[in-house]
Amino acid sequence: MQNHNCILEEVIVLGQPQELIKMQANMIILTCLLLLPTIFGDIEKNETTFVPTREWQTVKKGTPIPGGLHVRHNFQTGVTEAKLMDSEDVEEKDLNENLNNSNVNSLTLHPEKAIFEEKDPTEKSNLFHHPIEELKARLKKIKQDSGENIPELDDEHTQQIKKKFKDYETLKKEFKALEINITTDSELLNNYFQKFHVHKNAITMGTLTTAETEEVLDILYNLEYLLHQIDNAKVFADMQGMSKIISPCLNGTNNEIKAEALRLLGAAVQSNPKVQLKALENDFVQKLLHILSTNNKMEIKSRCLFALSALIRQFPAAQKVWIDHGGVEIFGKILIDDQLQVQIKVMRLINDLIIERQNLNEITDANQQLKIKAYATADIEKKLLTYEYCNHLSNLMIESFKGEHSDQLRTDNYEFLETISDSMITIAPICIDRFRENKDELLPIIRHLLNFYQNLNLLMDKLQTTGNSRDEL
């Protein structure tokens, strides 16, 4: 038998894992062992030349055939047949000369019987003359060579790479810091309740440190953000947030915390009947009126009026409590002497409460009589007359134009002028008799306002006229 050389090509990939190189080498050796009986067989050279005709002829194994033939092979029997193409008209003589002159265009079937004419038939392969230990040594040399061919990085280049890319430990820390625990709003509320409970006694006793005050304010900020959602406000009320969080803040001495708690209360009760009822049951109408009459800070009074307005609007039961505990009287005192912004809020609230009652006549559903009955228990019209609110309102209008700051009021406080004018117009059906008592002082002011706005109308007309004339030019 002839032995033929099997050439093993060594492919070295820089940076390839050593285990992968070992696996590839083993696969190459195993493939050579399996294919050896097929590829390298001991057979005498087949000198037979295949002469094609127009009929199918059996091709003996190892016999080369010229190109351009029609060849078929039966995989079940292993028989190969060939003939000339039907469309060709080539003489057999030319084909024989082609075959004798060139072996380049020939095709050898049955590779297991192939003849390697460029090799010496007597030459034998030395592939398996080497023991397995020598093959392992060659594989080991492949690994060593692959490692030696990797260029070493100098320190400077290494530092440049580290600046561009983060190491594994740094990435682990950053990804861990990005982990977000998804919690529901109810869980957040419960968490803020627990944090607030730690400072509850210090708030009421006024012994909070600066850091603790900041922490409490942060809790109130976050709660106020959550309670703008009606469902969260309901959960807050069910968790006794009125008594556990808002009341301690209002009872404390820290005005900053008190102002934030008032804003939290207003956000919770606004347009939320269920929470309004909870606040009413916890006597917050009385507490707000007490703060309004005892605290002199404008911010506290402004926030207090915001919370009170949100609590009693569209809520006749709360309005009755507000009236019964001197709400109209307190508002009248504010109109006599208080900050301008506080007076504006008082007039707007009274104005809205009167409009609520006027809109009852527009309700046509079955609840109309129930609502009329509910509002009748809170007889605000009578209380406005009893506590001289009409007189306080007209006097405020007169004093605003007679005082030493009257010029400033007329030129700078358009919000005040608009608010007091709207309030007097809305309340006129109730207070018209009281207004007539001061008509000698009120009429000049009203005429002045009419002239002022009429002059503005004239100026607007002139501006429009000027613009049109220029357009025509």
Side-chain angles (χ1 to χ4, degrees):
M1 294 185 58
Q2 291 180 339
N3 293 329
H4 300 282
N5 290 329
C6 178
I7 302 174
L8 176 63
E9 183 179 358
E10 297 179 356
V11 180
I12 300 175
V13 181
L14 290 180
Q16 193 175 25
Q18 302 299 328
E19 292 79 2
L20 183 58
I21 296 176
K22 182 177 179 181
M23 183 183 298
Q24 291 176 342
N26 291 337
M27 290 298 296
I28 293 172
I29 295 173
L30 181 60
T31 303
C32 292
L33 291 175
L34 292 175
L35 296 179
L36 183 64
T38 303
I39 299 176
F40 305 105
D42 292 338
I43 185 171
E44 296 297 331
K45 182 176 179 181
N46 195 334
E47 300 292 347
T48 304
T49 300
F50 181 78
V51 180
T53 65
R54 298 193 181 278
E55 301 295 333
W56 288 107
Q57 299 183 69
T58 300
V59 181
K60 295 181 180 181
K61 293 184 178 182
T63 302
I65 62 174
L69 299 183
H70 189 174
V71 181
R72 68 183 182 185
H73 180 75
N74 191 324
F75 287 96
Q76 293 182 351
T77 62
V79 176
T80 302
E81 297 177 310
K83 70 170 184 175
L84 292 171
M85 300 293 292
D86 293 337
S87 59
E88 294 182 357
D89 189 14
V90 183
E91 294 184 359
E92 296 179 7
K93 180 178 179 180
D94 295 336
L95 290 174
N96 291 335
E97 291 176 359
N98 243 358
L99 181 62
N100 293 330
N101 292 336
S102 177
N103 288 327
V104 177
N105 296 326
S106 65
L107 174 66
T108 301
L109 299 179
H110 313 289
E112 68 276 15
K113 302 297 182 180
I115 301 170
F116 298 91
E117 296 182 352
E118 68 278 8
K119 298 286 184 180
D120 186 356
T122 61
E123 184 179 354
K124 297 191 175 184
S125 173
N126 295 323
L127 176 64
F128 293 100
H129 289 177
H130 303 290
I132 192 66
E133 288 77 8
E134 185 173 348
L135 292 176
K136 291 182 178 180
R138 291 186 180 184
L139 291 175
K140 185 175 181 181
K141 185 175 183 301
I142 292 175
K143 300 177 183 180
Q144 293 175 353
D145 292 343
S146 64
E148 293 174 357
N149 291 332
I150 299 176
E152 294 185 0
L153 301 177
D154 55 17
D155 293 339
E156 182 178 356
H157 188 52
T158 302
Q159 294 300 324
Q160 291 178 355
I161 294 177
K162 287 183 177 181
K163 290 180 181 180
K164 293 181 179 180
F165 304 98
K166 299 178 181 179
D167 57 59
Y168 178 68
E169 293 299 328
T170 303
L171 291 174
K172 276 178 61 178
K173 293 178 181 179
E174 291 182 356
F175 280 117
K176 187 174 181 180
L178 290 176
E179 291 180 359
I180 301 175
N181 294 326
I182 300 176
T183 56
T184 63
D185 288 347
S186 298
E187 292 172 341
L188 290 174
L189 289 173
N190 186 57
N191 185 30
Y192 291 133
F193 269 69
Q194 294 176 358
K195 289 182 178 179
F196 183 86
H197 183 71
V198 177
H199 308 290
K200 183 177 179 179
N201 293 331
I203 292 173
T204 55
M205 296 176 63
T207 58
L208 286 174
T209 63
T210 303
E212 291 173 340
T213 301
E214 292 297 327
E215 186 175 355
V216 172
L217 290 174
D218 184 65
I219 294 171
L220 296 176
Y221 293 150
N222 292 321
L223 285 173
E224 190 262 340
Y225 173 78
L226 290 173
L227 298 195
H228 278 290
Q229 297 185 23
I230 292 177
D231 291 338
N232 289 340
K234 292 178 180 178
V235 174
F236 177 81
D238 293 337
M239 295 173 66
Q240 306 301 320
M242 298 292 176
S243 59
K244 292 182 178 180
I245 292 183
I246 298 179
S247 288
C249 293
L250 298 184
N251 294 332
T253 58
N254 189 307
N255 284 325
E256 194 174 4
I257 292 177
K258 189 175 294 186
E260 202 57 41
L262 289 168
R263 188 167 70 169
L264 175 63
L265 176 61
V269 300
Q270 195 167 32
S271 302
N272 199 330
K274 182 179 178 180
V275 183
Q276 284 178 320
L277 181 59
K278 286 282 187 180
L280 182 62
E281 292 173 351
N282 284 271
D283 299 330
F284 272 98
V285 174
Q286 298 92 309
K287 292 177 182 178
L288 294 176
L289 289 174
H290 175 74
I291 295 173
L292 197 59
S293 59
T294 58
N295 198 300
N296 294 322
K297 298 288 184 180
M298 189 185 75
E299 183 182 12
I300 300 296
K301 284 191 171 185
S302 180
R303 295 280 179 86
C304 187
L305 285 169
F306 162 68
L308 184 61
S309 176
L311 177 54
I312 68 176
R313 273 196 176 100
Q314 304 295 332
F315 193 12
Q319 293 178 19
K320 185 179 185 305
V321 175
W322 167 70
I323 292 173
D324 293 342
H325 288 79
V328 177
E329 186 179 4
I330 294 173
F331 278 20
K333 292 180 179 179
I334 291 175
L335 294 184
I336 295 174
D337 182 22
D338 215 315
Q339 292 95 335
L340 188 62
Q341 291 299 322
V342 178
Q343 291 174 337
I344 290 174
K345 288 183 179 293
V346 164
M347 288 186 287
R348 284 177 175 172
L349 179 52
I350 294 292
N351 198 48
D352 292 343
L353 296 179
I354 294 173
I355 291 174
E356 280 184 29
R357 286 158 174 77
Q358 293 174 352
N359 292 337
L360 289 175
N361 297 326
E362 300 177 2
I363 300 175
T364 58
D365 57 15
N367 295 326
Q368 181 186 25
Q369 295 302 321
L370 294 176
K371 290 184 177 180
I372 292 175
K373 185 178 180 180
Y375 277 99
T377 59
D379 191 2
I380 188 174
E381 294 87 349
K382 182 179 179 180
K383 296 296 181 180
L384 290 174
L385 294 172
T386 302
Y387 292 105
E388 300 293 335
Y389 181 84
C390 299
N391 291 335
H392 297 322
L393 184 62
S394 61
N395 290 334
L396 179 61
M397 170 72 88
I398 295 169
E399 293 297 327
S400 299
F401 284 86
K402 280 189 174 181
E404 57 183 12
H405 300 293
S406 59
D407 292 337
Q408 181 180 358
L409 284 172
R410 286 195 297 269
T411 55
D412 297 338
N413 294 283
Y414 297 109
E415 182 184 8
F416 170 78
L417 294 176
E418 181 181 359
T419 302
I420 193 170
S421 299
D422 290 342
S423 184
M424 292 188 70
I425 293 171
T426 303
I427 207 173
I430 302 172
C431 301
I432 188 62
D433 292 335
R434 303 297 174 89
F435 291 165
R436 285 171 178 168
E437 295 175 1
N438 299 321
K439 68 177 182 178
D440 293 338
E441 294 177 291
L442 287 175
L443 286 175
I445 297 173
I446 295 172
R447 291 193 187 97
H448 177 80
L449 291 174
L450 288 173
N451 291 331
F452 177 75
Y453 288 108
Q454 186 177 4
N455 291 333
L456 289 178
N457 290 331
L458 292 173
L459 177 60
M460 183 176 65
D461 293 339
K462 288 181 179 180
L463 290 173
Q464 291 177 346
T465 304
T466 304
N468 294 334
S469 62
R470 288 181 178 178
D471 294 337
E472 293 175 358
L473 293 175

